[in-house]
Amino acid sequence: MSTTTTLEPDPPAGGAQRAPKVRTKPSASRSIFDPTIVTSALLDSVRKLDPRTMARNPVMFIVEVGAVLTTVLFLRDVGDAETQENVFSALVAGFLWFTVLFANFAEAMAEGRGKAQAATLKATRADTMARLIQPDGTIVMRSSSELAIGDRCDVVAGEVIPGDGDIVEGIATVDESAITGESAPVIRESGGDRSAVTGGTRVLSDRIVVQISAKPGETFLDRMIALVEGADRQKTPNEIALSILLAGLTIVFLLAVVTLQPFAIYSGAEQPIIVLVALLVCLIPTTIGGLLSAIGIAGMDRLVQRNVLAMSGRAVEAAGDVTTLLLDKTGTITFGSRQAAEFIPVHDTTEVEVAEGALVSSLADETPEGRSIVDLATSAHGLVPADPTGAELVPFTAQTRMSGMDLPDGRRVRKGAADSVRRFVTQQGGTVPLELLPIVDGVSKEGATPLVVIDQQPGGVWRVLGVIRLKDTVKPGMRERFDELRAMGIRTVMITGDNPLTAAAIAAEAGVDDFLAEATPEDKMALITREQAGGNLVAMTGDGTNDAPALAQADVGVAMNTGTQAAKEAGNMVDLDSNPTKLIEIVEVGKQLLMTRGSLTTFSIANDVAKYFAIIPAMFSGVLPALDRLNVMDLHSPRTAILSAVIFNAFVIIGLVPLALKGVKFRAEAASAVLRRNLLVYGLGGVLVPFVGIKLIDVVVAALGVN
Amino acid sequence: MTWQNVVQALALVLLLVVTVPPLGRYIAAVYGSRDDGTAPGDRVFGPLERSIHRLCRIDDRREQRWNVYAISMLAFSLVSLLGLYALLRLQGSLPFNPTDRDGVGPTGAFNTAVSFVTNTNWQWYSGEVALSHLSQMLGLAVQNFASAGVGFAVIIAIIRGITRTTHRSRTLGNFWVDLVRGTVRILLPLSFLFALVIASQGVVQNLSGHTSATLVDAAAAESVGSATQAIPGGPVASQVAIKQLGTNGGGFYNANSAHPLENPNPITNLLENWAILVIPFALVVAFGILVRDRRQSRLLAAVMALFLVCVTAFSMFAESNGNPELTARGVDQSISTTQSGGNLEGKEVRFGTSACTLWAGSTTGTSNGSVNCMHDSFTPLGGLGPMFQMMLGEVSPGGIGVGLMGLLVNALLAVFIAGLMVGRTPEYLGRKIQAAEMKLLTLYILAMPAALLGFAAASMTLDSAATYQPGPHGLSEVLYNFASAANNNGSAFAYQGTGTQWYTVTQGIAMLIGRFFLIIPALAIAGSLAGRPKVPSTSGTLPTHTPLFGALVTGVVIVVAGLTFFPALALGPILEHLSL
Amino acid sequence: MRVFLRQLTPALVALVVFTVLLGLVYPLATTAVAQVAFGHRADGSTVERDGVVVGSELIGQPFVSPQYLHPRPSAAGAGYDGSASSGSNAGPLNEDFLDAIDERVAAYRDENGLPDGAEVPVDAVTASGSGLDPHISIANARLQAPRVAAARGLPVEDVLAVIEEHTDDRGIAVLGEPGVNVLLVNVALDELSQGG
């Protein structure tokens, strides 16, 4: 992101503070283990040992209780036991603490990234003085924290807008980089869909009157800070369901371990409490239990990195479930500007003649259409743009509805809308070929726009050269994108104001599954409710006030940051980049969030197999040598075996922090393919990895002299 | 093993393959798979059912929500429990008591009443010693039908919960209608026919007491202290038929289906073994028809069959290899054309180890619990198979209704984990699985292990409960017997004296937990799924009919049970085996 | 609770109806049909000699005299007690059980004149599940045949022929295992001895 601005204004006038520039967009190079974040996360992980905090996570709470218990037992027996026994107890207790700390660290790391962003945002929120317009028209100075909804404030160039609101008077350029990270200023004006302004952004030019629409402390910026900080993070539905399952599994294992002691006593092999605690901690799903909240926070964070603010975790999760995607045609599927696609000759001209005429007429045309005509003529027909020196530009006017060039040699070239050109040629005494009308109609019918090119040699009459077919161009890669979505089971519906014929043509070209033509907001709403009645989850983007009901109705409604306050209120996400294609990425982030949880749960449970084979023989082979045959890993001694399992259990949490923060690899595939791959990697891998890991740790532990 | 043993197993499979689908279609039709609203047997059973409904004052068109359905089920079970308890206590002073049995003691009556009402049919008593013919007929046989009928009602209600989408249908059906239907249209006709078939083979069916026979060898009279032998009588065939078909398993006689008068020859053995499995598997077929997706039932049946085949084969190999301790003592345990060898302690010559382990696998895979040999005398691994199969939660294919219910709950768990793994809120057959369901599911999963391990551990600490054999086998016995009670199986490692106050009461409680703490959460899940809109299936939906999903369900069932019970099993059968 | 109480009426009535239908009508109807169609079998397949019931062909009986085939050890009551069917339920490593096996192996070898170390058929030294197993294995019967023949003064071939005659094959040639019906053999042997 560049911080240069093309419209750098004068230094701000005194009185209003200048908003600091904030980088909300992540630089590509920010590593997962950013040193400053790591340092504060380390501190936080100790702070989080507070049992009141821990109790929110039953799995890790049990581990902490186990850690306390083993520590107490170690301290009680330290005087009486032999050295090896003490070393063992100390190490078990130590690694149980590490297990808790590692889990806290993971959570703190995830939060740390958000906090770093929040810190910079908070600087923006500094109190500003607003010039409040009294009902009688006089102006008083008022702190921005004292503004109420409905207050009108006067803001001039260089001042910071004191709160969220709508412009009721005036037009201004506004620097919104504090919120969006984009340095290019945007235009905001009263009335219409561009009237919303955000507190903390700065007016660069002109003067506006803003009517405040949010209470201080509840502004967009405040919400944004709270969101990235994860302060009022609430568990999402799937997270709650998973937590219940994890708690259930923890109780099952508690049951298995508690009842094991009577069985062991019966078998003549009573177990020390430390060993039972170690077994319990190894069995309960600490890996996923320790990483669960980090995964959730990181999921939100990944959205923030894509400059999307989700108002709730629930919305992110819902994004993963989306089955119908409503995409606006313009700007999302197509470039939104029409591009030259073909030159059609008429009567006795050739295609090259048309191309040449079109090229000349567009040499000075800086509109996207004009540039696309130059591009097509040079690339498809090998024409070289003539040196425009001395040529005179004839600009487009509402009267002529034509533009073109007058060349130094006296030749004149024009292009324009078909009816204007026809009228012009006839007026000038030229003839319009009979076949022009059918060609123009044909182009229109297939959803494209016809431009007619004419020229006049010095002294000659105006002659119709042919037609330029301008069409709305589908962005490259869209078809592939939609194919991927289809593979993931997501249906795309294109929304357009075009007539059905045009819409069908573009829908076919882009490869969307369905389209809604001549769409009114009511049609859109009806489509959403219809899809939802069929059990589909619908995602859409919108920016206008008339999109608000549909945004609210959709399961995932992404409002463009450029949109109105109403739209932003109605949606459950805001895209700061105002890029409608973002919807697809949002869906991916949502899916990735669930996949990461599921995969790590599977991994966590699969790990238990190896842990049993390490710990059970270690517990009993002393008294019941027959059970040593279960020691398939050939671990050094009972103590090293138990210790290795505990250490593995602790380190696997740290080892998986990057995965938890980044999310498991996402590929657009059908569910069964995804399941097969993740089951293989995290299920089978989860069974095998600990066998190797525990064996390696055992070798090291034994080499260090524990036996 | 001989080739005949293999063919015997295949014969059972063939018999099932031929009979399960039509019976499944029949069951589905009985429970309303037909579009025109008719059901088979309307003309014969319709009037009977309607008169029962009238007597009970049930409006058969009025449906119940899950909680009312569950309450009806509980009310019926409670009344049955009290009725059976009273009957057992009072049998001494009631008529039709040709063998002059006294009333059963209070705890014993409690245990037996619970046992039969919960479809466990744990034989706390010894049939021919403790019970009058009246108790057998009016008490046990009736509950054999009724508890299986309840199983039908429960699973049908659950299926309705999964299939109903419209808002009107938050209801799951009418318990009384479902109970009467399953009992009258499915269990009764099948049992009647089956009873006659086995009676023709020598299973006793009369109303007399013992027939006295004079011993042939007078010298033997001295050694056994009696010159005569009692040949027991009774309405046995009618009872055996329903105890096999209704996944009950409580035998008329103490030795259950090892008794020659309950199971006289290898042909009745095959038929009775078939009867254990046929309805539980047919219910899976009916499930596929009722949810209108037969691929689902094929998958579930395959998972069930996989467990069943693996456990049975495992036990069969262990048992046919015999007991090494006997080989060391000069005993020939080879299986040949002249002797049915293997580990024959507790097994009948006419069955041999193959037919016995085939039965053992079937009876512990369903919650039947009838036996044709004594599981306690199995080799450690031979006994581990049946025990572990019960610990899986009786899902292969499980008891009537409750087996399929158990596998569906496991499928929901698999769906939950797998659903997350593919990045979608988990859904099964178009129904989203959310926190409310997970809570119930967790309750369901906790109940059985809690009862099993909790009571087993307590038993090991009580000196008075040490009625088991010494060594690791003692632990195996306690584990097996509580696994049997908590899973409503009813088979036993029967050396252990479970007649003490402690076991009589705790096993009764374990049976109640294993029955109602599973059925009620499952019904509640169905109730919460009922009427929920169906999510359309896309390629982003996790398919639940593929081998991959089957492997996942299998994995979930094994991993959950394996992780829960491995430590205990390590000190029981595994230690015993490794000590051989 | 009120819902529960309201459900008690149908519960009670349903139980009574079931008791009548399933507890009386069903078993009595079955009994009636079974008695008419196959009375002998439905009454326990008794074996009579001279008008006296001497046993059931389905139920094993104790035999200790040398002239009779001996059945398997039995855990039913004092042995083959028809009113107390039971297996030993001994675990595979139960010491009492293994001691009993030692004794039975020694006794079997002794009775039948087998050398020390001769392998003994497993059914001869193990108790059945019911304690009423009517069968012994063919191998077991053949090992006992010389003793029985000697005690009766019959040729071994005759005894073997009787054994052969009362051997139950596998069900439809594949089900279960073949076995020799001890009671039927012994009754037949008595007839043979008396007749001869």
Side-chain angles (χ1 to χ4, degrees), chain A residues 223-370:
Chain A
R223 271 192 293 163
M224 187 166 164
I225 291 168
L227 279 169
V228 292
E229 245 183 347
D232 55 349
R233 203 177 82 83
Q234 286 182 333
K235 283 187 173 175
T236 56
N238 277 314
E239 195 178 353
I240 293 169
L242 182 57
S243 303
I244 292 167
L245 177 67
L246 295 181
L249 285 174
T250 305
I251 298 172
V252 167
F253 287 125
L254 194 61
L255 199 66
V257 172
V258 168
T259 55
L260 182 56
Q261 184 71 316
F263 301 151
I265 293 172
Y266 168 76
S267 311
E270 184 171 358
Q271 294 298 311
I273 301 294
I274 289 195
V275 170
L276 289 175
V277 170
L279 175 63
L280 176 64
V281 169
C282 285
L283 292 180
I284 61 177
T286 49
T287 313
I288 179 67
L291 294 173
L292 190 57
S293 58
I295 294 169
I297 298 167
M300 293 284 272
D301 186 49
R302 277 198 297 279
L303 272 187
V304 173
Q305 288 175 49
R306 286 171 169 80
N307 254 3
V308 175
L309 286 184
M311 297 304 159
S312 70
R314 180 184 284 265
V316 184
E317 233 170 43
D321 287 346
V322 161
T323 45
T324 306
L325 216 50
L326 305 190
L327 295 172
D328 280 327
K329 184 198 81 171
T330 310
T332 309
I333 295 171
T334 64
F335 282 107
S337 56
R338 291 163 301 186
Q339 310 238 313
E342 193 185 1
F343 299 115
I344 309 164
V346 288
H347 194 51
D348 51 354
T349 60
T350 65
E351 205 178 328
V352 182
E353 275 181 276
V354 187
E356 195 271 341
L359 175 64
V360 173
S361 71
S362 306
L363 277 179
D365 186 349
E366 285 302 322
T367 64
E369 285 96 346

Side-chain angles (χ1 to χ4, degrees), chain A residues 237-238 240-242 244-245 247-249 251-253 255-256 258-260 262-264 266-267 279 283 317 320-323 485-490 532-537 590-592 594-599 601-602 605 608-609 612-613 616 620 624 626-630 669-672 674-676 678-679 682, chain B residues 413 416-426 432-436 438-442 445-446 449-454 456-458 460-461 468-475 478-479 533-536 538-543 546 548-549 552 559-560 562-568 570-571 574-575 577-580:
Chain A
N238 277 314
I240 293 169
L242 182 57
I244 292 167
L245 177 67
L249 285 174
I251 298 172
V252 167
F253 287 125
L255 199 66
V258 168
T259 55
L260 182 56
F263 301 151
Y266 168 76
S267 311
L279 175 63
L283 292 180
E317 233 170 43
D321 287 346
V322 161
T323 45
L485 287 171
R486 201 170 301 116
M488 286 153 52
I490 298 171
Q532 285 173 335
N536 285 303
L537 256 66
K591 282 198 178 296
Q592 206 183 18
L594 297 185
M595 282 163 69
T596 310
R597 283 199 202 123
S599 299
T601 304
T602 309
I605 296 168
D608 283 356
V609 176
Y612 263 139
F613 277 97
I616 293 292
F620 298 115
L624 309 164
L627 283 179
D628 198 41
R629 279 163 67 184
L630 295 178
E669 286 173 327
S672 43
V674 177
L675 179 63
R676 192 176 304 116
N678 285 343
L679 215 47
Y682 298 97
Chain B
L413 186 58
F416 182 76
I417 292 171
L420 289 183
M421 265 199 285
V422 303
R424 276 275 287 263
T425 294
K432 285 201 168 153
I433 313 300
Q434 287 170 338
M438 283 314 282
K439 249 180 234 162
L440 297 163
L441 215 147
T442 305
I445 286 172
L446 276 173
L452 199 175
L453 288 174
M460 299 319 284
T461 60
Y468 33 78
Q469 299 181 50
H473 195 77
L475 180 56
V478 173
L479 288 174
K534 192 172 169 153
V535 179
T538 69
S539 63
T541 312
L542 176 77
T546 59
L548 183 69
F549 185 74
L552 192 72
V559 165
V560 170
L563 294 179
T564 311
F565 298 113
F566 180 74
L571 293 175
I574 295 174
L575 176 60
H577 172 72
L578 294 175
S579 316
L580 270 178

Side-chain angles (χ1 to χ4, degrees), chain B residues 84 87-88 90-104 116 125-144 204-211 230-240 251-254 259 261-262, chain C residues 19 22-28 31 35 42-43 82-83:
Chain B
L84 183 51
L87 181 64
L88 291 170
L90 301 173
Q91 67 174 10
S93 27
L94 292 173
F96 198 42
N97 185 7
T99 44
D100 287 329
R101 301 302 173 212
D102 288 335
V104 182
F116 277 77
Y125 58 91
S126 163
E128 61 268 53
V129 178
L131 298 184
S132 73
H133 286 3
L134 188 77
S135 295
Q136 294 267 17
M137 280 164 50
L138 290 195
L140 305 193
V142 171
Q143 282 311 315
N144 277 350
V204 174
Q205 180 70 24
N206 60 25
L207 301 176
S208 21
H210 297 322
T211 307
I231 297 169
V236 182
S238 56
Q239 180 121 327
V240 169
F252 200 92
Y253 303 119
N254 183 47
H259 198 293
L261 294 182
E262 280 201 37
Chain C
T19 304
L22 308 166
L24 288 175
V25 177
Y26 162 67
L28 295 179
T31 307
Q35 285 292 332
D43 273 333
S83 60

Side-chain angles (χ1 to χ4, degrees), chain B residues 5 8 72 128 176 200 205-206 214 216-217 229 238 254-255 260 323 330 332 338 344-350 377 469, chain C residues 7 26 31 35 41-43 53 58 60 64-65 72 85 88-91 94 120 127 129-130 133 138-139 176-177:
Chain B
N5 298 154
Q8 173 175 249
S72 299
E128 61 268 53
W176 305 107
S200 78
Q205 180 70 24
N206 60 25
T214 312
V216 173
D217 185 359
Q229 185 185 38
S238 56
N254 183 47
N323 181 348
D332 177 10
T338 56
L344 214 57
E345 178 67 30
K347 298 186 183 70
E348 310 288 298
V349 164
R350 64 189 181 281
S377 299
Q469 299 181 50
Chain C
Q7 298 297 329
Y26 162 67
T31 307
Q35 285 292 332
R41 296 216 158 175
D43 273 333
V53 174
L58 297 177
V64 295
S65 306
R72 302 177 62 187
S85 63
S88 76
N89 283 305
N94 185 312
V120 174
S130 61
D133 194 345
I138 300 169
E177 304 287 348

